[in-house]
Amino acid sequence: MQQRSSMDWMLKDLASGVPQTRQVIVLSADGLCVAQYGADPDTADRLAAACAGLQSLAGAVASELPYSEGRMRLVVIEMDGGFFYLMAAAAGSYLAVLADEGVDAGLMGQRMRDLVIRIGEHLSSPPRHDGPTG
């Protein structure tokens, strides 16, 4: 999977550029892990699946705002021990980060936006089709 390996260094760059970053994953809208850094594959898969539900919930809340198109841009959750960030990336893709309590939230947001811009074309995930086409 060339797409996955080509993003590994970019995810590592985000993790090393923002102290206190634990895990970085890129996921599709349906909750499949596309790339990850700092997490074992099982953890990355669980986080990706949870993120699919979270982005759906955030989109439902966003649709209640007047003049909203109902799309989620960024979700930040503060928990005991750290923070979780979920940012819309390209069509059908998201960038998620787990970080310790001491993370610089402003720096994290900026670096996540920069990463989404830098690798936007790598993050787009075409819609899935059931069954054979033709």
Side-chain angles (χ1 to χ4, degrees):
M1 179 178 279
Q2 188 173 356
Q3 179 182 7
R4 185 178 199 138
S5 63
S6 68
M7 281 193 282
D8 288 349
W9 68 272
M10 294 181 205
L11 302 183
K12 182 179 179 181
D13 188 45
L14 172 65
S16 62
V18 182
Q20 308 295 322
T21 300
R22 288 196 166 270
Q23 299 166 2
V24 182
I25 65 171
V26 175
L27 62 131
S28 63
D30 57 355
L32 295 177
C33 182
V34 174
Q36 59 89 16
Y37 177 80
D40 63 82
D42 290 339
T43 300
D45 287 341
R46 283 192 308 272
L47 283 172
C51 288
L54 185 57
Q55 63 86 16
S56 178
L57 176 63
V61 172
S63 69
E64 297 301 320
L65 291 170
Y67 312 109
S68 173
E69 295 179 17
R71 289 185 300 209
M72 183 277 297
R73 291 186 194 167
L74 174 67
V75 172
V76 179
I77 301 173
E78 182 177 5
M79 306 162 285
D80 289 341
F83 292 88
F84 172 76
Y85 300 86
L86 179 63
M87 181 178 283
S93 297
Y94 297 86
L95 176 63
V97 176
L98 278 175
D100 291 332
E101 281 182 310
V103 71
D104 180 331
L107 180 60
M108 179 62 77
Q110 176 186 10
R111 293 289 174 91
M112 287 179 72
R113 281 188 300 275
D114 291 347
L115 180 58
V116 165
I117 291 167
R118 254 178 44 214
I119 62 172
E121 68 274 2
H122 297 284
L123 293 178
S124 61
S125 178
R128 293 175 176 235
H129 300 287
D130 292 333
T133 59

